Amino acid sequence: MDVTISVRRAAVLTAALAATVGALAAVAQVKTNVPDAVDRDAIVFLPPGYNQNRTRRYPVVYALHGYSIGAEQWTHEIHVPQAIEGAFARGAHELIVVLPDSKTVHNGSMYSSSVTTGDFENYVARDVVSYIDAHYRTIASRESRGLVGHSMGGYGATRIGMKHADVFGSLYIMSPCCLSPRGSGGGRGAPGGNAANDEALAAVKTPADSAKLPFGLRAQLASAAAWSPNPKNPPLYLDLPLGDNLQAVMAKWAANAPLAFIDQYIPGLRRYRAIAIDVGDQDGLRVDAGKLHEALDQYGIANTFEVYPGTHTSDVAVRFQEHVMPFFSRTLSFEPAKR
């Protein structure tokens, strides 16, 4: 199998205004450095036949990493290229797999459109897709593009999938975070309910301050940078849901919760060839994943939902090989786009 890593850079985002916060490691995930440029490297895995048949074109799967890691670390979590090769060996059709990097100075972009840390939503949906189609032998149609992500990447697959059904044809959502508005079952560390946490967030002024925060509070900084950015509020250039800002900022965060805005994107969701959702039975995110499944069912949108034995991070590589890759092998179009 041919593997191309650190692929040509795809020009992407607005310049980040926020001060560099440095790399912060999450529990059970790998520490990584934060890119300091608006250009990002993507990692592209080419199938074994890519160089053997110079005229054949392939569908593409875009796989989104989670919070606190980047694309290179994501390869270790899902054990690629081994998992991709294993899927091909088990009968999955050959396709191209692309891992975009979406880590920010706050350890995660939330795959959202921020004026301070970057428009990662359109980076994934437009810039990376356009670059890959221009530089590789892809089947350049939505029916031949798949989108998958885990955790924060699962949120990204949900958000981008809903809003860009004109770009992607099949969705696989793994253990998605942040589906509900905060404070209504949307995940760990909801703001505004713990005075000590609020004080710790308000005290962050430097990278050293940020590095001392626990995982949940660091993730809140990423959420604020994505959903309530403020280019006139140094040093972090974001607004936190604290004090007099609580209701206004929480409203902005709620506006970015897929379970709150899903009703606006039903026509696009109906366009998908297939949608799959999975989550571990020991994962606190299983409740909201189930609500996403129920919302799709309510509108009569075909989808599969599996709760498997496991935690938030267990068996992700196995799932990628034995479920994600075969799913896209079945649901993407392998027919060349009609000109």
Side-chain angles (χ1 to χ4, degrees), residues 46 53 114 157 320:
L46 302 175
N53 184 340
S114 170
F320 199 87

Side-chain angles (χ1 to χ4, degrees), residues 151 177 182 185-191 215-217 219-220 282-285 312:
S151 193
C177 80
R182 299 298 175 91
R188 310 157 187 157
F215 178 86
L217 295 186
Q220 283 193 41
Q282 301 171 56
D283 189 342
L285 301 177
H312 184 61

Side-chain angles (χ1 to χ4, degrees), residues 262 290-305:
I262 185 173
K291 290 179 180 178
L292 178 60
H293 163 64
E294 291 168 2
L296 293 171
D297 275 358
Q298 178 182 348
Y299 281 106
I301 297 171
N303 70 102
T304 62
F305 177 55

Side-chain angles (χ1 to χ4, degrees), residues 37-51:
V38 295
D39 288 346
R40 293 298 177 109
D41 287 342
I43 300 176
V44 176
F45 294 92
L46 302 175
Y50 190 86
N51 285 333

